[in-house]
Amino acid sequence: MEERLGKGPSPLWQGSFKSSLSGRLTPKGSPTHRRLNSSRTPRREARSGSGGTQWFRSNRVVYWLILIALWAYLGFYVQSGWAHGHNKEEFLGFSGDPRNKFVDAEQQTWRDLVADDSLVAMNNGTNKTQVYGDRKIDVILAKKGNVVSSMKKRSKRARRNNLRKKHGKLKAKMNIENGGTEGQEQEIPLKNSTYRLLVGPFGSVEDRVLEWSPEKRSGTCDRKGDFARLVWSRRLVLVFHELSMTGAPISMMELATELLSCGATVSAVVLSKKGGLMSELARRRIKVIEDRADLSFKTAMKADLVIAGSAVCATWIDQYIAHFPAGGSQIAWWIMENRREYFDRSKLVLNRVKMLIFLSEMQSNQWLTWCQEENVKLRSQPALVPLAVNDELAFVAGIPCSLNTPAASPAKMLEKRQLLRDAVRKEMGLTDNDMLVMSLSSINAGKGQLFLLESAGLVINEDPLETDSEVKKSMNIRQDQSSFAAKHHLRGLLQKSRNLDVSSTELRLFTSVNATNDVSINSTHRSKMYDSKGAQEQALKILIGSVGSKSNKIPYVKEILRFLSQHAKLSESVLWTPSTTRVASLYSAADVYVMNSQGLGETFGRVTVEAMAFGLPVLGTDGGGTKEIVEQNVTGLLHPMGHPGAQVLAEHLRFLLKNPNARKQMGMDGRKMVERKYLKRHMYMRFVEVITRCMRSK
């Protein structure tokens, strides 16, 4: 190198030297830089053919920075692609935006026609049906040379994306008012000609009267509470077994919303998209993991806690633990069912999760009994987390909650709730002399809607002789009912009625009917009953939901419709309402709620506490978790299950029809119980204990 320096500067060094003299290597702020740059002109710069090359040679640092940035971006892209299962749409952020899911129908149709070559082939007469199998498509498209080349370039993932788009388009078309109704039953048209009188949903009425809607809600998290401090910055995965508008999925959705509001990172794994909650999840910005296998497992592995929301999640839990053996210590399993078939489905993995969570004491005892019978030893003592009334319903009901403002105080909301009641009942065609009895749940035999209608038929009594003969044939009335239990039941009603100034004549009538199970009351008295003040008694109306729910059993719905077709007068008193998440208007319009679950009874009954929050007395079966919620003769009345229960339920309906004061007092007591035990803050206090126990040993 010394010899090279001794011979004088090399051409490369000369170029560098010129570049330094031009001021390119001097700081921009120096006088030399300003002086030399000011003497240069664009024309002289253009004349120098090697000026650009010299500048790049002198700025190698810029090259290195660009290369480092590109390398970092490439590494990030590859790593993110692996973490997201190469799901390009989700990685780029399009899949979580509801605006990209619900596009204009014409634009979506055009995209489908362009993207799907099988449709092109069909329009050209080469295919009579849409075929998505790879082999058959290749054979058909071989007839079109210009399509073959494009078909070869399409990947399997692109075809799956096209199918997903078309599925989403069809699903969006099936949704009706408010975007909250589930896909309707294909075999039963959603028309008045089928159900006679179909009312609601009343989301638009709620928005107009209340001047508030769920879309306006911000966060409802109590930032100073223990729950918020515990979940802040935590990563949680919630596993939904489906997206129907029933208790378990809705409770999981509200839990995810609360976690997000409190600063947690939440991902949802949906095992079945059956139902209509997908649009609601998108509105609440709950991220849904499209892949139920590898991607969901990878996300769960990185989470602090996994909460599975149904016994149906057993298969996913089993596969996740097989994929990640230590994953069982991350799982809190919130089981909301109470039937033996669900236990049999779950028993192989019950002892492999960190903790089981149940809704009621009755359910917990039942599952522990089954575990003992099958010799299943759990890793820890189960926890109890009952469901609760969310803030949105408490707000409309006039119960103090996080959504209240000075302009929307509980007192103001009570006034608006009365206006909402009047508006909804007017749309339903009801008058002040109508007592609306409501049952909101999926329509299947386990919920007992047919028994409810049989009870209503006994009260309305369209034909006394026909009804009596039908009762004797269809109902197995227990004549050997314990006299002690009957007397105890009547003594409670008598005491309650005395407190409410009910006339002794009415009490004798009611007690004699209830004690002897005599259903042959004089038809004249049935057609015109009077309360203690001599005013004409209210007429009975029944509201049944949820029409169109994917959880409905179509044969059972058809059986109910056949029953009503045979009883014209009863049919005139029955209203139906579609499945929806906007239920505040329905609770506001109702007077009585019926929880008529059969079998082992309702596990807990989320709708039961919601109805009580709106001041409705509850008529429930004396089994399951309903007995833990409804206090006999205080917040409602209990009746047996099955046909014998239908007879007792009819007597309870008669009693409430004749005694509006009793309805009002029971509703007030039920509302007080909800304020003491079943509000959102009570449920999340229980969750604090669960999450603390789950994370203590991690």
Side-chain angles (χ1 to χ4, degrees), residues 287-305:
K287 178 184 176 183
V288 177
I289 302 175
E290 295 294 335
D291 182 16
R292 295 174 298 177
D294 293 340
L295 181 56
S296 67
F297 296 158
K298 292 175 183 177
T299 307
M301 288 169 60
K302 301 174 185 177
D304 296 300
L305 184 64

Side-chain angles (χ1 to χ4, degrees), residues 86 88 153 234 254 287 294 333 383 414 451 456 512 536 569 580 607 638 674:
H86 302 286
K88 187 176 181 180
K153 295 179 181 179
R234 298 282 189 179
E254 291 174 352
K287 178 184 176 183
D294 293 340
W333 198 351
L414 284 174
F451 289 148
S512 63
Q536 187 172 350
K569 191 172 181 179
T580 179
V607 290
L638 299 175
V674 169

Side-chain angles (χ1 to χ4, degrees), residues 121-190:
M122 181 185 67
N123 293 334
N124 285 282
T126 59
N127 188 8
K128 294 183 180 179
T129 58
Q130 294 185 21
V131 183
Y132 299 102
D134 296 341
R135 185 177 303 175
K136 189 166 290 188
I137 285 178
D138 291 340
V139 173
I140 293 172
L141 294 181
K143 300 178 182 180
K144 290 285 182 179
N146 59 336
V147 185
V148 173
S149 58
S150 63
M151 189 62 192
K152 290 180 179 179
K153 295 179 181 179
R154 289 180 60 198
S155 64
K156 293 182 179 179
R157 184 169 298 277
R159 290 198 296 273
R160 284 198 297 268
N161 289 338
N162 290 333
L163 292 176
R164 190 180 299 116
K165 289 179 182 178
K166 277 185 283 188
H167 176 70
K169 180 182 68 173
L170 294 174
K171 190 172 183 180
K173 287 182 179 179
M174 294 170 67
N175 288 340
I176 63 175
E177 182 183 351
N178 291 332
T181 305
E182 303 179 52
Q184 305 304 316
E185 300 146 318
Q186 297 298 314
E187 298 185 24
I188 304 179
L190 188 66

Side-chain angles (χ1 to χ4, degrees), residues 405-462:
T405 62
S409 63
K412 290 284 186 181
M413 295 311 301
L414 284 174
E415 297 176 2
K416 290 185 176 182
R417 194 187 88 185
Q418 183 61 43
L419 296 176
L420 179 62
R421 172 184 171 86
D422 296 339
V424 173
R425 287 176 69 93
K426 183 177 180 180
E427 286 202 18
M428 289 181 176
L430 302 178
T431 67
D432 293 339
N433 288 327
D434 294 323
M435 185 182 84
L436 182 61
V437 177
M438 184 170 66
S439 175
L440 281 184
S441 59
S442 56
I443 305 175
N444 57 68
K447 300 298 182 180
Q449 287 92 349
L450 187 55
F451 289 148
L452 169 59
L453 292 177
E454 290 180 354
S455 301
L458 292 175
V459 177
I460 295 174
N461 192 22
E462 54 200 20

